[in-house]
């Protein structure tokens, strides 16, 4: 975890030993999960809200006060298909170290992998890793037909394009759609028929097999997995050497995912807006984020703040084929003069709620961020650099320079800053690095996509001999760039290469705003060559 998260009602250092049935009051809508924990809660049942599913990993610690050593076995394997997986109860697993009554009847998938190892994968854990990356997707999974009620999808196979309209009835926090990783995951869930069938099977099993008893409806979690052909998965758990069985505690990564979705996916909603600098002063400035949060899962979240994002137990997700998504906004949202960085909240609070936002909510809203989207997709954003790349080409053809272009890199997330995401379409902001030899001298040129800003960032020029191999330094340069609000960090470069070994070259001005003609680009390349020489 990046923050210290204290879950209300649980004692410090609580071990999560098992996950049991789900339950809901027959006249209610909020589902809970029974837990086997040590020590038990002082008040109430040993359970938590389904909204906290990203936290619910066997043998993890709730309310940790120190770093704990995970004494478990890690295993990577490739899935051929899920169709031949057996469905069994957890009580039949030889690697089960303790027979806890709450979890013995829970469903597992059982299957064999290389070296004669028999894997027991709890169904709740696989669903958590595939789908429950935030509270919204966890809560929604159990509701019948929720996807059809909250999204309208249209596809155009001939154009390899899809449109996802987020309806006014959608209960997903609108801020999540600014995260390209979430948009890609949601596109996969909505548009891939096998994946959507799998997600919706959760509510089907609940309606079919749930049992009303007294004041509560109770249900043993079950779902049908998506096909997952060829997927590489990494897990940790308990390996029992005599029976050669592995009980999975946690799915760590899911890679080489085949996605049956179009290459271009557009999101629209009447709720979407693009933050722009207003004419007034910034309201309150940036909020100071506390070191930790107290999480209350019994109180509604407030609609008065953007959700505080809580990173926890992130699952690495990697698609075999990258597909592009973007968010289309039809209205602007002023943020106050000088405040272009639209952060989480005007005032951060230590006490937050992970429950659905509602009119009666009196705690600031929080949302889990349990998705580590690592698909290799920088090539999707090359078009943002078309004029710049054309200028580099002319440096070679017209001015005798030698140019080597590095692959694009996506700027990293740094603290609360959102500048690593473009405000216009919610896609990642990228940086291009090129090595240019002019005469006998080598230079590194750094170019950042500022297509969403009122003023372009100049091209950074570094004498190559002053830094050597630039790649080990790029991550820190990117971090300092973001910390400086998309300005080149002069003091950092002074220390890195010396004051006389770096400079900058402004972009070429054009007659039309945001558009460069062929003649403009030729002038840019000539001016760049003069600067380098």
């Amino acid at each position: 975890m990046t923050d210290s998260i204290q879950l209300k009602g649980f004692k410090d250092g609580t071990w999560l030993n098992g996950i049991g049935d789900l339950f809901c009051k027959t006249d209610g809508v909020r589902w809970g999960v029974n837990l086997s924990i040590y020590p038990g809660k002082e008040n109430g049942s040993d359970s938590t809200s389904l909204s906290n599913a990203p936290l619910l990993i066997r043998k993890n610690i709730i309310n940790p006060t120190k770093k704990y050593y995970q004494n478990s076995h890690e295993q990577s394997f490739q899935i051929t298909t899920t169709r031949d997986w057996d469905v069994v109860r957890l009580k039949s697993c030889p690697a089960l170290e303790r027979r806890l009554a709450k979890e013995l009847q829970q469903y597992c998938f059982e299957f064999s992998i290389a070296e004669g190892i028999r894997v027991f994968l709890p169904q709740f854990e696989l669903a958590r890793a595939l789908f429950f990356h935030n509270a919204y997707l966890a809560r929604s999974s159990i509701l019948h037909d929720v996807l059809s009620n909250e999204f309208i999808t249209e596809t155009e196979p001939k154009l390899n394009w899809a449109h996802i309209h987020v309806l006014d009835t959608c209960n997903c926090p609108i801020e999540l759609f600014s995260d390209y990783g979430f948009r890609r995951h949601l596109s996969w869930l909505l548009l891939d028929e096998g994946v959507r069938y799998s997600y919706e099977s959760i509510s089907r099993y609940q309606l079919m097999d749930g049992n009303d008893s007294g004041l509560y409806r109770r249900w043993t979690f079950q779902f049908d997995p998506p096909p997952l052909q060829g997927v590489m998965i990494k897990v940790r758990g308990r390996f029992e050497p005599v029976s050669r069985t592995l009980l999975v505690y946690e799915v760590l990564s899911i890679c080489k995912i085949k996605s049956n979705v179009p290459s271009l996916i557009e999101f629209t909603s009447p709720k979407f807006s693009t933050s722009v600098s207003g004419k007034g002063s910034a309201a309150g400035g940036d909020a100071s984020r506390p070191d930790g949060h107290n999480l209350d899962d019994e109180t509604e979240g407030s609609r008065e703040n953007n959700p505080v994002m809580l990173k926890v137990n992130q699952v690495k997700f990697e698609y075999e084929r990258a597909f592009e998504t973007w968010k289309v906004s039809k209205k602007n949202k002023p943020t106050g003069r000088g405040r272009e960085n639209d952060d989480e909240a005007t005032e951060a609070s230590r006490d937050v709620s992970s429950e659905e936002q509602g009119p009666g909510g009196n705690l600031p809203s929080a949302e889990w961020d349990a998705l580590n989207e690592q698909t290799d997709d920088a090539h999707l954003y090359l078009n943002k650099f078309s004029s710049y790349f054309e200028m580099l080409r002319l440096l070679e053809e017209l001015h005798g320079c030698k140019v080597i272009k590095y692959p694009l890199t996506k700027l990293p997330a740094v603290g609360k800053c959102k500048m690593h995401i473009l405000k216009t379409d919610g896609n990642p902001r990228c940086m291009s690095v090129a090595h240019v030899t002019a005469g006998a001298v080598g230079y590194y040129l750094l170019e950042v996509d500022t297509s969403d800003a009122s003023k372009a960032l100049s091209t950074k020029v570094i004498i190559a001999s002053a830094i050597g191999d630039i790649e080990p330094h790029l991550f820190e340069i990117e971090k300092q760039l973001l910390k400086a609000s998309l300005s080149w960090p002069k003091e950092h470069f002074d220390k890195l290469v010396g004051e006389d070994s770096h400079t900058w070259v402004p972009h070429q001005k054009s007659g039309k705003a945001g558009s460069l003609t062929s003649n403009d680009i030729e002038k840019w390349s000539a001016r760049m060559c003069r600067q380098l020489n």
Side-chain angles (χ1 to χ4, degrees), residues 197-227:
Y197 179 89
S198 174
Y199 182 79
E200 292 181 332
S201 72
I202 298 172
S203 63
R204 287 195 296 271
Y205 276 110
Q206 185 272 127
L207 290 171
M208 184 171 57
D209 297 336
N211 177 46
D212 292 335
S213 176
L215 297 176
Y216 287 91
R217 182 172 180 82
R218 304 179 189 278
W219 173 57
T220 302
F221 185 90
Q222 189 173 9
F223 82 118
D224 297 321

Side-chain angles (χ1 to χ4, degrees), residues 46-318:
D46 290 347
S47 64
T48 191
S49 168
L50 182 59
S51 293
N52 294 329
L55 273 178
L56 303 184
I57 296 174
R58 214 167 177 277
K59 296 302 179 184
N60 267 18
I61 307 296
I62 299 173
N63 299 349
T65 57
K66 60 182 180 180
K67 288 188 177 181
Y68 292 82
Y69 174 68
Q70 295 283 5
N71 183 20
S72 54
H73 173 85
E74 291 192 1
Q75 183 83 38
S76 297
F77 54 88
Q78 186 172 34
I79 297 173
T80 305
T81 179
T82 60
R83 292 181 179 178
D84 60 359
W85 287 4
D86 295 325
V87 175
V88 299
R89 302 278 187 169
L90 184 60
K91 64 182 180 180
S92 66
C93 177
L96 188 65
E97 68 276 33
R98 295 177 63 194
R99 302 184 68 80
L100 301 172
K102 286 184 181 179
E103 67 170 5
L104 289 178
Q105 295 300 317
Q106 298 307 304
Y107 287 106
C108 285
F109 296 116
E110 182 186 357
F111 54 92
S112 294
I113 59 174
E115 301 175 0
I117 297 174
R118 196 73 175 159
V119 176
F120 287 77
L121 174 54
Q123 293 200 13
F124 186 87
E125 172 55 24
L126 181 60
R128 184 200 68 84
L130 286 170
F131 304 129
F132 302 162
H133 299 146
N134 53 52
Y136 165 74
L137 287 176
R139 285 193 302 268
S140 299
S141 68
I142 214 161
L143 304 177
H144 175 63
D145 219 20
V146 68
L147 299 182
S148 297
N149 292 330
E150 300 197 354
F151 304 94
I152 294 176
T153 62
E154 302 173 65
T155 58
E156 184 54 65
K158 291 182 179 179
L159 299 177
N160 204 11
W161 172 89
H163 175 253
I164 297 174
H165 184 65
V166 184
L167 299 175
D168 278 332
T169 53
C170 184
N171 290 305
C172 179
I174 209 68
E175 295 78 15
L176 290 183
F177 294 94
S178 294
D179 182 337
Y180 65 89
F182 172 73
R183 289 199 310 273
R184 184 171 287 156
H185 179 261
L186 186 60
S187 300
W188 177 65
L189 194 159
L190 289 170
L191 299 173
D192 189 308
E193 290 184 4
V195 177
R196 182 163 180 162
Y197 179 89
S198 174
Y199 182 79
E200 292 181 332
S201 72
I202 298 172
S203 63
R204 287 195 296 271
Y205 276 110
Q206 185 272 127
L207 290 171
M208 184 171 57
D209 297 336
N211 177 46
D212 292 335
S213 176
L215 297 176
Y216 287 91
R217 182 172 180 82
R218 304 179 189 278
W219 173 57
T220 302
F221 185 90
Q222 189 173 9
F223 82 118
D224 297 321
L228 301 179
Q229 294 104 329
V231 164
M232 288 296 301
I233 189 169
K234 183 177 181 180
V235 303
R236 71 171 187 88
R238 182 173 188 267
F239 180 68
E240 203 289 303
V242 177
S243 61
R244 298 196 63 75
T245 54
L246 172 65
L247 172 59
V248 174
Y249 293 165
E250 179 179 8
V251 175
L252 301 171
S253 66
I254 305 174
C255 300
K256 294 186 178 180
I257 303 168
K258 292 179 173 62
S259 54
N260 186 22
V261 301
S263 296
L264 302 171
I265 301 165
E266 175 185 80
F267 281 79
T268 61
S269 171
K271 298 180 181 179
F272 289 170
S273 61
T274 300
S275 297
V276 295
S277 295
K279 295 181 180 179
S281 60
D286 290 342
S288 57
R289 176 86 175 257
D291 294 333
H293 292 281
N294 300 320
L295 190 68
D296 187 341
D297 65 354
E298 298 178 356
T299 304
E300 274 188 341
S302 169
R303 289 177 174 168
E304 299 303 314
N305 72 293
N306 293 353
V308 177
M309 300 306 295
L310 305 175
K311 287 189 177 181
V312 61
N313 304 325
Q314 290 197 321
V315 181
K316 179 182 175 182
F317 243 66
E318 191 176 281

Side-chain angles (χ1 to χ4, degrees), residues 483-525:
K483 286 182 177 180
S485 299
L486 288 184
S487 298
W488 292 119
K490 183 179 182 302
E491 291 186 3
H492 178 73
F493 282 114
D494 287 347
K495 293 178 182 178
L496 184 64
V497 299
E499 294 183 24
D500 299 328
S501 295
H502 69 96
T503 186
W504 46 268
V505 178
H507 283 195
Q508 182 67 29
K509 293 182 179 180
S510 62
K512 283 187 176 181
S515 176
L516 290 177
T517 66
S518 298
N519 188 46
D520 291 331
I521 297 174
E522 285 188 19
K523 291 178 181 178
W524 189 7
S525 68

